[in-house]
């Protein structure tokens, strides 16, 4: 593979290619097997898409126990926010992140709002940055929910294959 071809493929995927990828891709580029090149570049690529879920969607996607634990944590967060209380687990995470104490109630309200969105017909968009960040806070503050939060976040991930035509165009230009 020429440096121009490598640069073209890196520009196409928006990152540098690792040594292992270069080893895999070099013979494919030499043979101009654009289909295999696209497959190799697509391995593991995902993108975040809008994905709205309701309480029922969470219950369907998670096991009974995991859904109950996550939904209970969200209900508790909503109740705490309504009472003007910042939960200790959230405060600990925010302090570790360097968030000013005066801003902690806003984060509590944000985490609590997830419960309200889950109970609305349009649901919560777990592909939105705010929802994903909220799930990260929960995972950091309630370690027993870390895997559950990762599962919920994964529901908004979708495959993002590199189109063969884009590989062909990039290599043709190189």
């Amino acid at each position: 593979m020429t440096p121009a071809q490598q640069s073209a493929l890196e520009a196409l995927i928006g990152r540098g290619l690792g040594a292992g990828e270069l080893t895999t891709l070099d013979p494919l580029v030499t043979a101009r097997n654009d289909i295999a090149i696209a497959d190799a570049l697509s391995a593991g690529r995902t993108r975040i898409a809008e994905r709205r879920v309701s309480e029922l969607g969470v219950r369907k996607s998670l096991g009974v126990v995991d859904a109950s634990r996550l939904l209970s944590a969200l209900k508790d967060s909503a109740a705490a926010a309504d009472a003007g209380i910042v939960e200790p687990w959230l405060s600990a995470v925010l302090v570790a992140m360097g968030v000013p104490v005066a801003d902690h109630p806003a984060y509590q309200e944000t985490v609590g709002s997830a419960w309200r969105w889950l109970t609305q017909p349009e649901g919560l968009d777990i592909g939105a940055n705010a929802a994903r960040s909220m799930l990260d806070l929960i995972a950091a503050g309630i370690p027993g929910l870390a895997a559950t939060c990762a599962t919920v976040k994964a529901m908004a991930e979708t495959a993002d294959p590199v189109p063969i035509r884009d590989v062909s165009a990039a290599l043709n230009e190189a």
Side-chain angles (χ1 to χ4, degrees):
M1 170 176 3
T2 68
Q5 291 170 322
Q6 180 179 338
S7 293
L9 293 177
E10 289 174 339
L12 176 63
I13 62 171
R15 63 172 179 80
L17 293 168
E21 291 173 302
L22 291 170
T23 301
T24 300
L25 290 168
D26 188 50
L28 299 175
V29 171
T30 300
R32 275 307 297 265
N33 186 342
D34 293 2
I35 294 170
I37 294 166
D39 286 345
L41 293 174
S42 297
R45 270 177 61 109
T46 60
R47 65 180 172 78
I48 307 302
E50 180 177 322
R51 173 77 193 273
R52 295 194 171 272
V53 295
S54 64
E55 177 189 2
L56 180 59
V58 169
R59 290 188 186 281
K60 284 182 177 179
S61 299
L62 301 173
V64 170
V65 173
D66 289 339
S68 178
R69 287 182 181 152
L70 177 60
L71 294 170
S72 291
L74 294 173
K75 284 181 204 176
D76 291 347
S77 290
D82 290 345
I85 298 168
V86 177
E87 294 173 287
W89 68 263
L90 181 58
S91 183
V93 171
L94 296 174
V95 166
M97 293 173 55
V99 175
V101 174
D103 293 340
H104 290 195
Y107 284 84
Q108 182 68 57
E109 191 279 326
T110 298
V111 174
S113 72
W115 171 248
R116 292 179 193 92
W117 279 106
L118 286 170
T119 59
Q120 299 298 312
E122 62 271 14
L124 173 68
D125 178 9
I126 55 175
N129 285 336
R132 298 176 75 73
S133 294
M134 178 264 313
L135 288 165
D136 290 339
L137 288 173
I138 293 169
I142 309 173
L145 290 178
T148 301
C149 290
T151 299
V152 172
K153 286 175 63 176
M155 292 165 53
E157 296 171 6
T158 185
D160 188 23
V162 176
I164 298 164
R165 69 180 174 279
D166 292 355
V167 169
S168 296
L171 292 176
N172 288 342
E173 275 188 37

